[in-house]
């Protein structure tokens, strides 16, 4: 089985496994105690903190260990907002942040705060000037990921941090996807990360709060980890997490170049071997191991199962891979095709032979899914003189509405329109994306008795 889902969780690094085993024997005691076992545990914790701080590029007393990356984000956002409450209650985030950041923003809104969500371009990147324009006198905090978890696009953190610093606003960086590859550039104020993204054990996060940043930990007070992560430290997991971070950093330059060549190979060859595919994300400013593409007329969940049977573990941002009809917020914000979405994220050490086998298997897998989905025809009304053709795809999830649009677009003359009736939220994204890929004009959407009418004009 070839594991191509490292952006979700990287396999445990061998160094992490060794460190975990060793520290189970040495680091089980309470590091807050003064007896011999406690002092030994404290030495391990202090050494881990110093090594993690060196990898991040901060002072050891600025870094605490948390029970997860999500906890680090939530604690960082809440603590920074509370610490700067006198400045105001305005929060800035990008539209493609990880759900942990967006959920923290929603909680802030529910508590009476205000949030500005900065849009991204079609590659998934923010414009630093858009962050600068969003800054206000009452802005308490800005958040920006270092790189996107779904499409791999790197963000201009240094430029955004410079704008925020000039305005006196702290910037919190979610570095979960990038920290294993190197330090985050720029004069940022807070940083959060998660060990299972770089080959450490799950259940360990990092939160860094620079000296001088106003910060008020929320929740009941605790003496551990500067009061920012209450509870007994999972010392064996912390030691293993830091050991793996140092190990992957030592290999990062060479491995990044190798994985970048493999993902470039996928980016170039997938559109050549699979028709009707859109490769998404920035082609240059991106993480080494992530490549994402979307296939027209394909159900993402079915395609993932097909690839799983062929021996490949991949993931997807398609709405059809979850219990909701809402497409991935990242793909939606980018305005790209969401149906049939596949994210390939290669862990360090991935053999080139596995990538070649994936490229051989993918065309048949996509063709099989398309054949299965192409059989049913949606009901449609015959166009009257001067009238539109109407395709009723209500009650059917994407990609069915797009498939039926593709089937009938040739039934109207150039200049004529097709109205696709759909109650699937994903159609709002996928029908315009189909038009762009197919050179047709997307007119817009209109209310309908059943769902929404998406209007497409044939231009070729």
């Amino acid at each position: 089985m070839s594991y191509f889902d490292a952006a979700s969780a990287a396999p445990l690094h061998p160094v992490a496994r060794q460190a975990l085993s060793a520290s189970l024997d040495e680091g089980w005691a309470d590091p807050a105690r003064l007896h011999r076992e406690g002092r030994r545990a404290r030495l391990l914790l202090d050494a881990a903190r110093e090594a993690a701080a060196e990898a991040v590029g901060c002072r050891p007393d600025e870094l605490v260990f948390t029970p997860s990356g999500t906890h680090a984000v939530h604690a960082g956002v809440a603590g920074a907002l509370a610490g700067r409450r006198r400045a105001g209650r305005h929060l800035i985030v990008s539209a493609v942040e990880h759900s942990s950041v967006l959920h923290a923003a929603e909680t802030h809104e529910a508590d009476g705060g205000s949030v500005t969500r900065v849009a991204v371009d079609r590659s998934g990147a923010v414009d630093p000037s858009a962050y600068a324009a969003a800054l206000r006198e009452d802005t308490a905090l800005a958040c920006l990921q270092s790189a996107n978890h779904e499409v791999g696009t790197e963000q201009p953190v240094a430029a955004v941090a410079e704008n925020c610093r000039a305005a006196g606003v702290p910037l919190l960086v979610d570095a979960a996807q990038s920290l294993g590859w190197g330090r985050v550039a720029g004069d940022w104020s807070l940083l959060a990360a998660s060990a299972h993204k770089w080959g450490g054990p799950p259940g360990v996060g990092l939160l860094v709060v620079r000296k001088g940043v106003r910060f008020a930990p929320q929740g009941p007070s605790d003496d551990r980890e500067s009061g920012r992560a209450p509870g007994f430290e999972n010392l064996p997991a912390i030691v293993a997490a830091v050991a793996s971070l140092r190990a992957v950093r030592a290999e990062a330059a060479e491995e990044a170049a190798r994985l970048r060549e493999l993902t470039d190979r996928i980016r170039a060859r997938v559109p050549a071997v699979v028709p009707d595919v859109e490769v998404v994300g920035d082609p240059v400013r991106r993480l080494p191991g992530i490549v994402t593409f979307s296939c027209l007329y394909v159900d993402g969940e079915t395609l993932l199962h097909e690839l799983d049977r062929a021996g490949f573990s991949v993931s997807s941002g398609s709405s059809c891979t979850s219990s909701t009809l809402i497409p991935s917020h990242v793909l939606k914000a980018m305005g790209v095709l969401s149906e049939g979405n596949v994210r390939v994220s290669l862990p360090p050490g991935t053999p080139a032979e596995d990538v070649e086998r994936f490229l051989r298997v993918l065309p048949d897998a996509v063709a099989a899914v398309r054949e299965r989905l192409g059989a049913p025809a949606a009901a449609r009304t015959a166009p009257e003189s001067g009238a539109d053709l109407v395709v009723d795809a209500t009650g059917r999830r994407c990609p069915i509405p797009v498939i039926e649009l593709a089937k009938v677009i040739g039934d109207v003359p150039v200049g004529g329109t097709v109205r696709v009736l759909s109650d699937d939220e994903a159609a709002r994204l996928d029908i315009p994306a189909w038009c762009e890929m197919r050179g047709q004009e997307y007119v817009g959407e209109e209310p309908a008795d059943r769902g929404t009418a998406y209007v497409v004009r044939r231009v070729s």
Side-chain angles (χ1 to χ4, degrees), residues 173-193:
V173 177
D174 173 12
Q177 288 296 340
S178 72
L179 193 61
W181 297 109
R183 292 182 179 181
V184 177
D187 196 11
W188 46 266
S189 302
L190 302 97
L191 180 143

Side-chain angles (χ1 to χ4, degrees), residues 195-278:
H196 72 275
K197 302 290 188 179
W198 65 67
V204 179
L206 304 179
L207 173 61
V208 178
V209 181
R210 296 281 199 191
K211 291 297 181 183
V213 175
R214 292 188 177 275
F215 192 89
Q218 298 301 284
S221 61
D222 194 292
D223 293 335
R224 298 178 185 273
E225 295 302 298
S226 304
R228 296 171 186 170
F232 197 100
E233 298 92 345
N234 186 349
L235 187 51
I238 289 171
V239 171
V242 177
S244 62
L245 179 58
R246 296 183 66 182
V248 298
R249 280 289 192 83
E251 308 158 354
E254 181 178 353
E255 191 61 19
R258 198 182 69 85
L259 291 185
R260 195 173 295 278
E261 190 279 325
L262 293 178
T263 52
D264 284 344
R265 192 182 307 182
I266 296 172
R267 290 182 66 91
R269 287 176 51 186
V270 165
V273 299
V274 180
D276 299 316
V277 165
E278 181 179 15

Side-chain angles (χ1 to χ4, degrees), residues 147-174:
N148 186 259
H149 50 290
E150 286 194 26
V151 300
T153 297
E154 294 179 331
Q155 299 291 358
V157 172
V160 171
E162 183 178 355
N163 291 336
C164 290
R165 180 70 65 177
V169 174
L171 176 68
L172 184 152
V173 177
D174 173 12

